[in-house]
Amino acid sequence: MRQRALYASLLLVTTTLVAPAALAQVAPSDGAPAAGPSTGTIAPPADPAGTDTSAASPQSAPTAADEQSAEVSAPGVDAAAGGDIVVVGRNIPNTVRSTAQVISVLSTADIARTGEGDIAGALTRVTGLSVVGNGYVFVRGLGDRYSSALLNGSPLPSPEPLRRTVPLDIFPTTIVGSALVQKTYSANYPGEFGGGVINLTTKAIPDENYVTVGGSLGIDTETTGKLGNTYYGSKTDWLGYDSGERKLPDFLRNAPNGSGVIPTAQVAQLSNARTTLLQRNFDIPPNWSADLNLGLVGELGPGRIGMIATGSVSNTWRTRATTQQDTISNDGTLRNDFDTLITDNRAVVNGLLGFGYEFDENRIRWTNVYIHDTLKQGRASAATVYNNSSGNPIFQQNTNWFERQLIETQLVGEFKPVDDLSVDVRGAYANSKRNSPYERQFIYTCNTGLNIQVTNPVGGSALSCPGVWQATNAFDRFATVVFSELNEDLYSGQADVAYKLPGDRPFTLSAGYYYSQNERSSLRLPFTFQTATGGAIPFPCNLFRPDYLLSPDVLNGCPVATSGTPAENAVQLRFDSGLNGSYAYDASLRIHAGYVQAEAEAIDGIRAIIGVRYETAKQEVTPIGAAPTRLSNDYFLPAATLTWNFAPDMQLRLAAAKTIARPQFRELAPQAFRDFESDRLFFGNPNLRDSKLYNLEARYEWFFDRDQRITAAGFYKRIDNPIEQVGFYPTPDARLQTGFTYLPKATLWGGEIEVQKYLPLDFISEGMAGKRAVIIANYTYTQSQITADEQCVPSVLGVSLGGCGAGFAPANLQFRDGAPLTGQSDHLVNLQLGYEDRDNDMQATLLFNYASDRVTNRGPSLLSGVGFQPDIIERPGIRLDFVVRQTVDFLGTRLELKGEARNLTGTRYQERQTFEDGRRVFINRYEQGRMFTLGASVTF
């Protein structure tokens, strides 16, 4: 198969799945273990003995042409150095067995076969991995705070205010050449490592020139052609870019420095109807995507030079008819019970421009990545059960715009000056932004005292008003608008050197230095609409729809008001920090690190890799109007892995390491932030501290045929001061919010098993020659327990209890001792049943995924500060997908047709609390649609 077809197969998301090969650090062909920093392509090993490794099962083993190599660029991965590992003279002919650590690698072809549109979705097919929320990968039940994401071995900033780690759903599969997951720690990686490290490698140099054009069209059975909430915005919203309609004026940016009151004349300058008027759309359009890929390669002097450019755009829709409830009691009595209809329109534009030059065993790559990801949201909620309810319905509408952007430029050099020496240098600059202007909300109550009746339903249900909707200050405000901005710069550089010592036994020493500097600024400006006297718009103007409420006539004082003067009724904006905390903060994190590492064949059949990393960091968060938080820590982080080849096709690994996890900027900053996925407010806690992890793992691997295996592993982790999400209510009238604190200790343990088998089908008939079935299954069992004793830990309510210091309370008053960690599922199951016709280039795969219940938030503390409600539990449930791909030659070009069907079980999303009497409170509950997509790409 031509290399350009490999890239073509990645261009769209509708392809079938083959299991990720557990590939990794491959030693030089002369037998040196792989501890060095060089990077390159992980390829099938050579067989210097000349034996036919597939002779025993010639039809079940893939040929060399079938084995797509995985291009990996990461510190400590010496994939280009050679093709085999020699342990006491025995050749290990499978790259799965040639790893010094427990690593899984998704190659370009593997990613394409998953049929996923982003790398987060593809990674869910790796044993022990799950995705929670907006693309954050959990490894063995540990949250994204315990894992790190790298791009070509360099760190990435996050465009999300809530986290420092980057959400992997913003990386489309079209720009990723491979994804490496390492579950055991080694000193060449950053010390923030609990569950694992995920390294994405972009494409570098193609094998030949190519141009590929593709597109897809899809529907969602709960969204396409059905009712949704939309608003106009600007004329370029369909691409995810605002044309200037939502620009933040300087007078709003400067509001906190003055009186905080924006006069009527300036309020009139703000965007109105285009960002205010929520409309019911009964024909939501289908999803679509388009992409273009270009690859060029040529000779330059003694080497090859190449360029890869990719660009794509997609526009997708999702509507959720959601039940949203909450309670502040200890028996589950409902306080709020809203029916909410949320429509998300997501537009993604991304591009990659990469240049590479390779000569001899050296490679230089310059990679530039651009990702622009925007979510435009319309939301309508209605309820008759709400806090301080009058018995009449209430209606809330929201229009939102969440714009995320990531830009990175990176230069990497991978050199071998001499055979036994490798040098790896890399430097990168990345910038991430998040812009969320005009987060609008309007609140109406149903007035039944007038001789008017409105029959049109609102919200996500058939709820209607038996009177007329009236803008109200029943909740201290009839309308609000929020503007927020985030900007983060990340500079990083590192250098790694590895040297193979001469001797009878392979022995490699490596060392490296790492530096990174994060600088973040975050601004959130909440405003409340009010009249000059601090009240609501008077009758009858308060019966108007939102855009008329903010029309010039009403802003200048309702001309037909039954009370007050125009000057008194003029509408102003008031800066309202209120319970929103600091409106701005600056944050920084500076890390210096160095490591030494040795890998050697200690005795016959046993090789070991031992290293230690020293890491020092200074982290600072400086909020406006609050005391700064400064953390300065340094650590020695040892790591060791032992591999015992006790049989020609079996081996046993043992690993131990100490690692850390730092609190993220947003977790330390006392600033409110709304997450568009969970539809909840989050609030930071400046009293957090670093977590320390102690990791143990044992793993058995049996490779009964080429690229076919059975593996089993057990793992144990102890975490000191683990940071947890906790729900809370800042006031009796407030909606549920999420804060952060830490616990004295937690433990996590479990096991995982994976089976991969190819079954040739020629036993059925001669016509089935070249066809095979693919069976891949993995299962992860995880248990965890938190320790909640009398030790003082930060209180999310800021109260002091039990004799603890200011802002602290005993852990056993805030947590349930023995409860599981947040985000951890007891059971994760992946099953893939595939059919492959390699002669006709056709694949079809049925994919089954199951994740058991997991805690998303610790149960909210009761308003007294003593005691707590049941934990908030998410039920991911079962997911069944089907993906098919067919490649044909058409008029001298290569045409690839793809189809996919997602969520065939129609699994409902549920996030709930269950009280002692069995009563359930659904924080979020909605039907998820079945999704069907057809796509095609053509390669020239």
Side-chain angles (χ1 to χ4, degrees), residues 456-525:
N456 290 334
V458 296
S461 69
L463 179 67
S464 60
C465 173
V468 62
W469 294 110
Q470 175 178 299
T472 177
N473 268 21
F475 298 92
D476 297 327
R477 62 203 66 192
F478 71 90
T480 60
V481 62
V482 179
F483 300 82
S484 63
E485 295 177 346
L486 179 144
N487 185 84
E488 183 169 344
D489 294 309
L490 172 58
Y491 302 87
S492 66
Q494 59 193 94
D496 304 84
V497 178
Y499 179 67
K500 184 177 74 71
L501 277 64
D504 295 335
R505 289 187 180 275
F507 192 104
T508 300
L509 287 175
S510 58
Y513 167 76
Y514 170 85
Y515 168 81
S516 68
Q517 175 75 32
N518 289 65
E519 297 286 349
R520 171 183 285 193
S521 62
S522 177
L523 175 71
R524 187 176 190 271
L525 301 173

Side-chain angles (χ1 to χ4, degrees), residues 660-857:
I660 57 171
R662 298 183 180 92
Q664 301 170 21
F665 291 146
R666 190 54 204 88
E667 295 167 349
L668 291 167
Q671 183 187 79
F673 160 73
R674 179 169 294 280
D675 175 55
F676 59 78
E677 181 70 20
S678 63
D679 200 30
R680 277 203 294 275
L681 277 175
F682 287 75
F683 203 85
N685 191 326
N687 294 319
L688 303 180
R689 62 177 65 172
D690 293 357
S691 304
K692 301 173 189 170
L693 296 93
Y694 302 87
N695 312 276
L696 296 173
E697 175 153 355
R699 184 179 183 90
Y700 163 78
E701 300 169 340
W702 174 31
F703 305 91
F704 52 87
D705 208 332
R706 192 173 197 178
D707 286 338
Q708 302 181 70
R709 61 187 179 271
I710 296 176
T711 66
F715 51 88
Y716 172 85
K717 298 177 185 290
R718 192 191 87 195
I719 310 173
D720 294 343
N721 301 324
I723 297 173
E724 290 280 274
Q725 293 186 172
V726 183
F728 72 101
Y729 298 96
T731 69
D733 295 333
R735 298 291 292 270
L736 176 66
Q737 297 185 20
T738 298
F740 302 93
T741 184
Y742 62 77
L743 288 152
K745 186 177 68 172
T747 55
L748 179 141
W749 67 95
E752 60 188 30
I753 185 169
E754 180 183 15
V755 178
Q756 178 170 319
K757 172 65 179 174
Y758 298 111
L759 181 65
L761 300 178
D762 54 358
F763 69 91
I764 299 176
S765 67
E766 293 183 0
M768 299 297 289
K771 302 171 179 62
R772 66 180 182 181
V774 180
I775 304 171
I776 301 160
N778 59 65
Y779 168 71
T780 302
Y781 173 76
T782 308
Q783 287 288 295
S784 64
Q785 286 186 351
I786 62 173
T787 298
D789 52 24
E790 296 180 353
Q791 181 175 327
C792 295
V793 299
S795 167
V796 294
L797 293 173
V799 298
S800 300
L801 298 171
C804 296
F808 283 75
N812 57 11
L813 295 183
Q814 304 184 70
F815 298 95
R816 186 175 297 101
D817 188 48
L821 288 164
T822 54
Q824 177 250 308
S825 291
D826 288 354
H827 309 280
L828 292 175
V829 180
N830 284 294
L831 175 64
Q832 302 147 35
L833 302 176
Y835 168 81
E836 296 183 357
D837 182 349
R838 288 170 289 170
D839 293 336
N840 297 306
D841 211 352
M842 182 268 185
Q843 296 172 328
T845 306
L846 188 69
L847 303 102
F848 171 90
N849 175 266
Y850 169 74
S852 63
D853 293 358
R854 56 194 175 207
V855 177
T856 58
N857 278 263

Side-chain angles (χ1 to χ4, degrees), residues 92-328:
I92 300 180
N94 193 306
T95 51
V96 177
R97 291 180 276 185
S98 304
T99 172
Q101 301 289 344
V102 176
I103 292 180
S104 295
V105 172
L106 292 174
S107 68
T108 302
D110 296 331
I111 295 170
R113 291 184 183 112
T114 66
E116 300 286 353
D118 59 69
I119 202 65
L123 286 170
T124 61
R125 313 303 176 182
V126 176
T127 308
L129 269 62
S130 59
V131 174
V132 178
N134 312 320
Y136 294 94
V137 175
F138 280 47
V139 182
R140 292 172 170 170
L142 287 173
D144 61 285
R145 81 177 67 257
Y146 298 111
S147 302
S148 58
L150 308 175
L151 184 68
N152 296 328
S154 295
L156 288 166
S158 176
E160 286 293 352
L162 186 61
R163 293 173 167 90
R164 191 171 67 246
T165 52
V166 65
L168 296 181
D169 65 341
I170 70 173
F171 287 95
T173 53
T174 53
I175 71 171
V176 178
S178 73
L180 178 149
V181 181
Q182 181 169 316
K183 298 178 185 176
T184 55
Y185 179 65
S186 55
N188 51 290
Y189 277 116
E192 289 195 79
F193 185 111
V197 62
I198 299 167
N199 183 80
L200 307 180
T201 299
T202 55
K203 303 171 185 179
I205 302 176
D207 281 353
E208 62 180 1
N209 300 333
Y210 68 90
V211 176
T212 302
V213 180
S216 70
L217 193 67
I219 64 169
D220 182 323
T221 59
E222 289 292 320
T223 302
T224 310
K226 295 191 175 182
L227 172 65
N229 289 319
T230 62
Y231 68 98
Y232 182 80
S234 76
K235 60 185 178 182
T236 54
D237 282 6
W238 66 279
L239 283 173
Y241 296 90
D242 178 67
S243 62
E245 182 70 26
R246 301 178 178 88
K247 183 178 180 181
L248 176 62
D250 289 338
F251 61 79
L252 290 182
R253 193 183 300 274
N254 297 328
N257 302 321
S259 66
V261 175
I262 307 300
T264 302
Q266 291 181 331
V267 175
Q269 299 176 31
L270 301 179
S271 172
N272 184 13
R274 291 189 174 188
T275 60
T276 300
L277 184 59
L278 188 67
Q279 297 176 304
R280 291 162 60 85
N281 186 332
F282 289 88
D283 190 17
I284 297 297
N287 304 326
W288 61 269
S289 69
D291 49 66
L292 173 67
N293 271 21
L294 170 67
L296 299 174
V297 64
E299 303 295 326
L300 179 64
R304 298 169 64 245
I305 189 170
M307 181 195 79
I308 288 181
T310 70
S312 70
V313 58
S314 66
N315 190 289
T316 60
W317 295 81
R318 181 179 66 155
T319 296
R320 293 170 283 169
T322 309
T323 297
Q324 296 181 318
Q325 303 172 336
D326 68 39
T327 177
I328 59 174

